Amino acid sequence: LAYLFRRHDVVLEMASNVKKHLAESKFYPTLELLLEKFYLGLAAYSIVRRGDVDGNNVTWRAISDNLRNEMKALSENDSKWNFEQKYFLLEAERAFTDGDVEAAATAYDKAIETAEEHRFVNELALASERAALFYLEHGNVGQARRYLEKSRSIYAAWGAKRKVEDIDTWIGSNE
């Protein structure tokens, strides 16, 4: 939730706890653990983009890249349906982190397309929101607004009222 609401101060602390928990896990990852890995990967790319906040930027980068690779392998070898959109979103965040604007834009669109195709409404909304943040960061306010409005609409249809309020506040503060 901290990641979804852009609470970067909390994300770092929680990501550190998840990283420790994953290292201690001795069993094949459950679906819940795989979701923690997905969000840890997203959070780790965000931490890297925010700068060397804890003296371990290289570590966070390695974590994010490893988890992206894991989602890619899960998509290719286990369940394309469950993991493809997760991989593409992590790939978009990697390209965003690396400053590869073209690759990021393409990967965000693939994440959105596959989340929609696989009917992962929550990940469709998240990928649309992350694309909006990417475009806003790169000064393309019009494109950012389109993706943010799409995200808002999906969150509303899904019933995520607090996210709708968050996006409304965010849109209002960026006008």
Side-chain angles (χ1 to χ4, degrees), residues 87-166:
Y87 162 68
F88 281 124
L89 185 52
L90 286 166
E91 178 62 20
E93 292 287 299
R94 182 208 54 80
F96 179 15
T97 301
D98 290 347
D100 188 342
V101 175
E102 189 174 316
T106 299
Y108 282 117
D109 286 341
K110 286 295 288 179
I112 291 165
E113 176 186 316
T114 55
E116 192 166 30
E117 177 186 335
H118 300 169
R119 296 189 301 270
F120 280 85
V121 177
N122 57 325
E123 291 171 10
L124 175 59
L126 176 61
S128 299
E129 182 180 359
R130 297 305 305 171
L133 287 166
F134 161 74
Y135 282 109
L136 189 61
E137 179 79 17
H138 286 89
N140 190 336
V141 177
Q143 191 75 322
R145 187 171 203 56
R146 283 188 285 283
Y147 279 100
L148 199 55
E149 287 171 353
K150 177 179 179 138
S151 178
R152 185 202 182 282
S153 172
I154 297 163
Y155 280 128
W158 188 40
K161 293 177 184 174
R162 180 60 186 98
K163 273 304 293 179
V164 171
E165 291 171 7
D166 176 58

Side-chain angles (χ1 to χ4, degrees), residues 4 38 52 111 135 153 160 172:
L4 289 175
F38 170 60
D52 200 1
Y135 282 109
S153 172

Side-chain angles (χ1 to χ4, degrees), residues 18-100:
V18 170
K19 179 175 75 167
K20 181 178 180 259
H21 174 71
L22 291 175
E24 295 170 353
S25 178
K26 296 180 181 14
F27 300 103
Y28 184 80
T30 62
L31 181 57
E32 292 81 12
L33 194 54
L34 290 171
L35 288 175
E36 284 186 22
K37 287 182 171 193
F38 170 60
Y39 281 102
L40 176 59
L42 293 172
Y45 280 124
S46 181
I47 289 166
V48 171
R49 276 195 309 277
R50 291 181 61 78
D52 200 1
V53 294
D54 66 349
N56 289 315
N57 229 29
V58 172
T59 301
W60 287 111
R61 179 56 192 244
I63 289 167
S64 55
D65 286 345
N66 287 339
L67 292 172
R68 179 186 59 87
N69 292 338
E70 186 173 342
M71 288 299 148
K72 182 178 183 182
L74 286 166
S75 173
E76 292 173 347
N77 303 321
D78 290 321
S79 177
K80 179 179 180 180
W81 192 265
N82 285 317
F83 298 104
E84 186 177 45
Q85 67 282 349
K86 291 172 180 64
Y87 162 68
F88 281 124
L89 185 52
L90 286 166
E91 178 62 20
E93 292 287 299
R94 182 208 54 80
F96 179 15
T97 301
D98 290 347
D100 188 342

